Amino acid sequence: NLPPIAQSNAEKDTPKEAEPEPMTSPQRYGDHGNLTDVRFVNDDKEVVTVSIEGGVNVRRWNVASKQLLSEIKLASDEHGRDVRQGTLQLSADGRNVVAATNDYVGIWDAVSGDLQQKFAIPKKEWEYDCVLCLDISRDGSRMVASLGTTYMSGRVWNGHAIVWDVPSGKEINRVTYQNNFHFVDIDLSSDGKLFATCNEMSARVCIWEADSGKLLLETLQGDDWQSPDPDLIKNNMISDVAFSPDDSLLAMSGTFGIRLVEVRLGKRLRQIDAPYSYHTTTGLEFSADGKRLARNGTGVKGIESSYAVPVFDTESGQMLFALKTEADAIRFSANSKLLAVAGSDRAGALSIWPVTGDVITSLPVATVPPVQFHRIDSVEANTHYRGKIAEDFANRWNPSWGEAQNGIQYGVA
């Protein structure tokens, strides 16, 4: 909260930075894989990504130039301490990384990589001893996690959740949902006052009051939801819940499609028939203006591709278009004109797509152009080096080469 600094005449005369040209075709950013989250920052001029590659990596990219601006690894209090799959994510402003280890939930600084806070995971043998999934509110006030167990393949008969006050680091309360399996997805409202849960096996969606743990809404999404395509899928598996940016709507996604529910009244507003039989990492993402809703990479009937990201109009329920790409995480830009797609393609796991203009009726959309490599020189696990970068790497680290066989030679540094 520093006072504004008076501008000098020289600063006033300095021309403003030119606005980048609007993106008209999908772009790829660098050679890295295993991305779990992406966020637009700095007025949509940059994106921050987080991935797991020999540790947890945080990278920052310039959207217009596709330049890699920075790359760090998160600090760990124990060598080789892993984060749990499905928990690694970025805060809404991209300033922090949030993830669960087997011992605690941590919040790290996304610029320095330093561990800022630890939240203890309660232990209760056979009921819960780990975090399965978590979320932090947009305002950073609350964090909620689904508690499960590493025993019995992680399935428990009750759903358990814990709520923390982020500024103080204190536990606020825990909730238990009796005889309905563990929560497979959990989402906080923007202000941290509400959180939603879903149970995949029992197809139940609930809305809870975060501070009191009171159950406000309980819905069963199985009995009255019939498959729009029984030849494709017969069982409805609810896997995702997401609040709209203004917290007025709750979207729930299953293998039959998507439903939108008014949060205040608990009334179903719209049903979108969009069945699928297979998916990558599931997820839902509203655009910042709330007018569009995207779903992570799933099979979309009529598209000649293994996976696609369908984008729907929240008013009409119509599918506007589908991006022909895999996806492990998706995020709209603040102006709702771009959609960042984080996948697991080692040739270029991050791509950004323009999602403006008229409804696209012809599918599939344009193919993503070839990737441009920007990796800075480093040594880490699960890394591929190509061309001149590989030659420079080999010369620098002086591998011990074996004999060439069939045109291939191996070296170990």
Side-chain angles (χ1 to χ4, degrees):
N1 296 321
L2 296 176
I5 301 174
Q7 287 182 306
S8 66
N9 291 331
E11 289 174 324
K12 293 178 182 179
D13 296 336
T14 302
K16 292 184 179 180
E17 180 182 352
E19 290 293 325
E21 292 293 325
M23 189 180 294
T24 57
S25 61
Q27 305 293 324
R28 296 180 112 168
Y29 296 73
D31 59 327
H32 57 287
N34 302 324
L35 289 180
T36 62
D37 202 3
V38 56
R39 293 281 185 178
F40 284 89
V41 297
N42 193 16
D43 297 326
D44 297 338
K45 295 176 183 177
E46 299 171 2
V47 288
V48 179
T49 65
V50 62
S51 63
I52 302 176
E53 298 170 89
V56 177
N57 299 270
V58 184
R59 296 183 177 94
R60 184 181 294 264
W61 301 83
N62 180 284
V63 171
S65 68
K66 297 194 290 186
Q67 179 185 1
L68 179 60
L69 303 176
S70 65
E71 180 178 18
I72 66 164
K73 285 186 180 292
L74 295 187
S76 175
D77 60 342
E78 180 179 316
H79 177 68
R81 184 190 292 276
D82 294 327
V83 300
R84 288 192 60 83
Q85 184 177 358
T87 66
L88 180 60
Q89 58 194 264
L90 289 157
S91 61
D93 57 11
R95 295 180 179 179
N96 296 107
V97 178
V98 184
T101 70
N102 280 333
D103 188 55
Y104 61 84
V105 173
I107 296 181
W108 289 262
D109 186 284
V111 175
S112 67
D114 294 336
L115 180 61
Q116 304 290 314
Q117 283 181 279
K118 281 185 178 183
F119 300 82
I121 298 173
K123 307 293 182 182
K124 188 177 180 182
E125 189 175 3
W126 299 112
E127 282 290 316
Y128 47 76
D129 62 355
C130 68
V131 165
L132 301 176
C133 58
L134 58 85
D135 191 37
I136 187 169
S137 62
R138 180 172 291 274
D139 67 359
S141 63
R142 295 289 182 268
M143 186 162 60
V144 62
S146 168
L147 298 175
T149 177
T150 55
Y151 301 103
M152 298 163 49
S153 301
R155 292 203 175 277
V156 292
W157 289 105
N158 295 323
H160 300 279
I162 182 172
V163 182
W164 290 286
D165 175 76
V166 175
S168 68
K170 295 181 179 179
E171 175 185 333
I172 296 177
N173 63 60
R174 302 178 205 176
V175 302
T176 298
Y177 194 40
Q178 296 288 343
N179 302 322
N180 280 286
F181 298 101
H182 65 266
F183 301 130
V184 296
D185 192 34
I186 200 159
D187 192 67
L188 270 163
S189 60
S190 298
D191 57 11
K193 294 182 178 179
L194 305 174
F195 70 92
T197 61
C198 67
N199 303 75
E200 186 178 51
M201 299 300 294
S202 62
R204 292 181 184 271
V205 175
C206 298
I207 297 179
W208 309 77
E209 195 170 65
D211 285 4
S212 68
K214 181 181 179 181
L215 179 58
L216 302 178
L217 175 68
E218 180 181 25
T219 65
L220 179 60
Q221 303 300 324
D223 295 344
D224 64 339
W225 197 346
Q226 303 301 315
S227 175
D229 191 344
D231 292 334
L232 178 67
I233 186 72
K234 292 182 173 61
N235 298 316
N236 194 20
M237 308 287 282
I238 304 296
S239 57
D240 302 281
V241 285
F243 284 99
S244 61
D246 63 0
D247 298 329
S248 64
L249 300 177
L250 178 71
M252 56 193 74
S253 175
T255 48
F256 288 177
I258 297 171
R259 278 181 172 176
L260 296 175
V261 173
E262 289 182 321
V263 172
R264 186 172 62 86
L265 301 176
K267 177 183 177 182
R268 188 195 313 165
L269 181 67
R270 189 161 294 106
Q271 178 171 309
I272 302 173
D273 290 333
Y276 65 88
S277 58
Y278 56 88
H279 59 78
T280 53
T281 303
T282 54
L284 292 170
E285 173 73 2
F286 279 94
S287 60
D289 56 16
K291 295 181 179 180
R292 295 183 177 184
L293 179 65
R295 186 175 68 192
N296 263 19
T298 57
V300 177
K301 201 167 184 178
I303 298 179
E304 296 178 0
S305 173
S306 298
Y307 298 98
V309 177
V311 180
F312 303 94
D313 181 271
T314 54
E315 285 293 327
S316 66
Q318 179 185 4
M319 186 174 78
L320 302 177
F321 46 83
L323 311 181
K324 189 177 178 182
T325 178
E326 297 183 26
D328 285 336
I330 47 179
R331 297 290 183 189
F332 281 96
S333 59
N335 61 15
S336 302
K337 295 180 179 180
L338 300 174
L339 181 65
V341 177
S344 291
D345 175 10
R346 286 197 176 277
L350 174 64
S351 59
I352 297 180
W353 301 67
V355 287
T356 56
D358 298 329
V359 174
I360 300 175
T361 56
S362 59
L363 298 173
V365 298
T367 304
V368 182
V371 64
Q372 299 294 319
F373 300 114
H374 299 288
R375 173 173 290 285
I376 63 175
D377 187 26
S378 60
V379 182
E380 57 185 315
N382 303 321
T383 299
H384 291 229
Y385 289 88
R386 300 169 176 84
K388 184 65 165 58
I389 294 178
E391 180 184 356
D392 293 343
F393 179 89
N395 290 336
R396 175 172 298 183
W397 295 98
N398 191 26
S400 174
W401 293 102
E403 294 183 4
Q405 296 181 3
N406 300 323
I408 298 177
Q409 189 177 23
Y410 294 89
V412 179

